[in-house]
Amino acid sequence: MPDLPSPTAAPTAAATTSPSSAAASASPAVPPANPAQTPADRAATSANRAAGSARRSATRGGPAIVVALPGTGSDAHFARRAFGSACAAVDLPFLAVDPDPRRVIESYRAALDAAARSGPILIAGISLGAAVAVDWAAAHPDSVYGVIAALPAWTGADTTGCPAALSAAATAAQLRADGLDAMLTRMRESSPAWLADALTRSWTSQWPDLPAALEEAAAYAWPEPDLLARVTAPVEIIGATDDPVHPFAVAERWTALIPHATLHTITLDELGADPSILGTRGLNALLPRRVPAP
């Protein structure tokens, strides 16, 4: 399992996203996806749909829109569960990006570029999504209202010892060798129900391109300390104290390196029980209007 908090310590467990059920999602209703569309097409359509409300939000002050980036192997469904309800509670336009498994990082950056045309954006990322968020924020300081960086997994391009990268690479190799069904069975046997359900949904939707997506994530160069030090936007960092795939020490280091960063702590049990804890913690720190507790 890639970028999601893993219940096991083995490299095959992974985690960049944190999935759960869809009940907490509060983003506007979206028409069913056109099966003829590619993931990139669907991402562009969602971004265009959000643009009108984003422009209205920008005229009121605050971020034009909140853009949520899932973790490795995860999807927009879990990102909506993590951040959608908190955005709805304060009437913020919200876009959860579905990664294109053939070009994950590029699809994230394209979604951010498109959203920023409406004004400064708030980027909410989980694991790999958090890394892309701070990378983009460092390169576009005038286009970022703030960042929520949940479960950062590593610092620096050398990922030799990065648990999330090792997990993604191992999972990709097993998928290529044994196929999706066998891997889903093994994953469900070793994972809590909330995580198993989330990964079953996202892995199935990204098949047969899932191994390539995991390999891209495994090869990703995580932000170097000097890049983190160049991020001028306020950053709310959320670390899980009991997550072996996303070591809490990494969240502490990011907090020390980013000039305007604040650290928030959660546990994996809290995340599994209600992923919206990520949005509530992050938005309450960044916005003048508080999000009601779930």
Side-chain angles (χ1 to χ4, degrees), residues 151 194 196 274:
L151 307 180
W194 69 271
D274 185 2

Coordinates of all heavy atoms in Angstrom, one line a residue, residues 151 194 196 274:
L151 N 0.8 14.8 6.9 CA 1.6 13.5 6.9 C 2.8 13.6 5.9 O 2.9 12.8 5.0 CB 0.7 12.4 6.5 CG -0.5 12.1 7.3 CD1 -1.3 10.9 6.8 CD2 -0.2 12.0 8.8
W194 N -11.3 0.9 7.3 CA -11.4 2.2 6.6 C -10.3 2.3 5.6 O -10.6 2.8 4.5 CB -11.3 3.3 7.7 CG -10.0 3.5 8.3 CD1 -9.5 2.9 9.4 CD2 -8.9 4.3 7.8 NE1 -8.2 3.3 9.7 CE2 -7.8 4.2 8.7 CE3 -8.8 5.2 6.7 CZ2 -6.6 4.9 8.6 CZ3 -7.6 5.9 6.6 CH2 -6.5 5.7 7.5
A196 N -8.7 -0.3 4.1 CA -8.9 -1.3 3.0 C -10.0 -0.8 2.1 O -9.8 -1.0 0.8 CB -9.3 -2.6 3.7
D274 N -12.3 9.7 11.6 CA -12.9 10.8 10.9 C -11.8 11.6 10.1 O -11.1 12.5 10.7 CB -13.6 11.8 11.9 CG -14.3 12.9 11.2 OD1 -14.3 13.0 9.9 OD2 -14.9 13.7 11.9

